[in-house]
Amino acid sequence: GAGVSQSPSNKVTEKGKDVELRCDPISGHTALYWYRQSLGQGLEFLIYFQGNSAPDKSGLPSDRFSAERTGGSVSTLTIQRTQQEDSAVYLCASNRGATDTQYFGPGTRLTVL
Amino acid sequence: AQSVTQLDSHVSVSEGTPVLLRCNYSSSYSPSLFWYVQHPNKGLQLLLKYTSAATLVKGINGFEAEFKKSETSFHLTKPSAHMSDAAEYFCVVSDRDYGGSQGNLIFGKGTKLSVKP
């Protein structure tokens, strides 16, 4: 069946511009996670959505980062006024919640010039 | 707070020889532990997970890992390396205990495995 999909696969932007990254989770998965993978920091958690509960935003690095999940399905991660240190691969994962395994998408590679 | 330390950033083995990727964890309670693999330009794939059942966990592609609470270790092994095993491997701990939600994953820095012919 279809896995987690993310778009775009690559995004190049100029410093100071806003970007939106999209994640389509596996159908029926109630939980959705965003992670960031960068050379200096490794792989780090950003934000977690579980059903209709308030998201866990504890991993967001600054208030320039925000995420939404509409209708309990698709999620958009928005980075405002991008900085060069935002350059990374942004990974999305989903699962059925509780103790289920997280399934990862292929990621979006963001490059901020 | 939970954390994981992967002791080697890079491991190189010859094809057909054993693989050992080391991982130590720190957790204030009984953790859920995972190994994920990431092939070049591919997404993360779960190799195996420990959630309090058997301490020796068998995963895909012939990999296994042993949970040793006394040593706070969860090393990944494979008896015989294959060229297709060349990838980056991440040791991961969940920030929730295995009785509850998987929660957020905390990743080690990764170990890049090279396999020589």
Side-chain angles (χ1 to χ4, degrees):
Chain A
V4 177
S5 61
Q6 293 185 245
S7 61
S9 54
N10 278 286
K11 175 73 177 177
V12 180
T13 190
E14 293 179 348
K15 179 181 171 182
K17 295 282 176 85
D18 297 351
V19 295
E20 285 189 352
L21 312 179
R22 178 187 168 106
C23 171
D24 280 89
I26 293 172
S27 177
H29 280 190
T30 58
L32 186 149
Y33 309 76
W34 282 98
Y35 295 87
R36 177 170 71 173
Q37 186 174 25
S38 55
L39 279 175
Q41 300 297 323
L43 232 157
E44 51 186 346
F45 162 75
L46 295 178
I47 187 169
Y48 160 50
F49 296 88
Q50 172 60 63
N52 296 320
S53 303
D56 176 355
K57 304 179 183 180
S58 59
L60 294 178
S62 78
D63 59 8
R64 295 186 296 104
F65 287 72
S66 63
E68 288 186 341
R69 189 177 184 196
T70 52
S73 181
V74 171
S75 177
T76 302
L77 177 70
T78 301
I79 309 173
Q80 296 178 308
R81 305 181 303 281
T82 51
Q83 304 294 312
Q84 287 183 330
E85 61 263 28
D86 300 334
S87 296
V89 176
Y90 289 82
L91 294 164
C92 175
S94 71
N95 66 6
R96 291 171 291 195
T99 57
D100 192 32
T101 296
Q102 292 186 25
Y103 295 88
F104 283 81
T108 294
R109 183 176 296 278
L110 174 66
T111 303
V112 182
L113 301 176
Chain B
Q2 285 70 34
S3 66
V4 287
T5 301
Q6 291 183 244
L7 298 163
D8 306 294
S9 59
H10 192 194
V11 170
S12 181
V13 301
S14 297
E15 191 174 21
T17 63
V19 175
L20 170 64
L21 305 183
R22 297 182 294 166
C23 172
N24 286 100
Y25 70 91
S26 171
S27 177
S28 53
Y29 39 68
S30 297
S32 291
L33 291 160
F34 311 80
W35 277 96
Y36 278 83
V37 61
Q38 187 175 37
H39 287 90
N41 301 313
K42 296 264 180 82
L44 285 160
Q45 181 184 20
L46 180 70
L47 270 181
L48 50 82
K49 62 180 178 181
Y50 166 77
T51 54
S52 87
T55 55
L56 182 62
V57 183
K58 293 189 184 300
I60 61 172
N61 301 336
F63 284 93
E64 61 183 39
E66 186 171 7
F67 174 73
K68 291 187 176 179
K69 188 173 181 179
S70 60
E71 298 177 8
T72 60
S73 69
F74 191 58
H75 301 334
L76 181 70
T77 60
K78 182 173 179 178
S80 176
H82 191 272
M83 296 296 290
S84 61
D85 295 329
E88 189 156 20
Y89 292 79
F90 294 92
C91 183
V92 182
V93 65
S94 169
D95 76 342
R96 309 282 167 86
D97 67 74
Y98 53 73
S101 167
Q102 182 181 12
N104 315 320
L105 299 180
I106 299 162
F107 285 76
K109 296 291 187 187
T111 298
K112 195 158 290 187
L113 176 65
S114 300
V115 182
K116 297 174 290 188

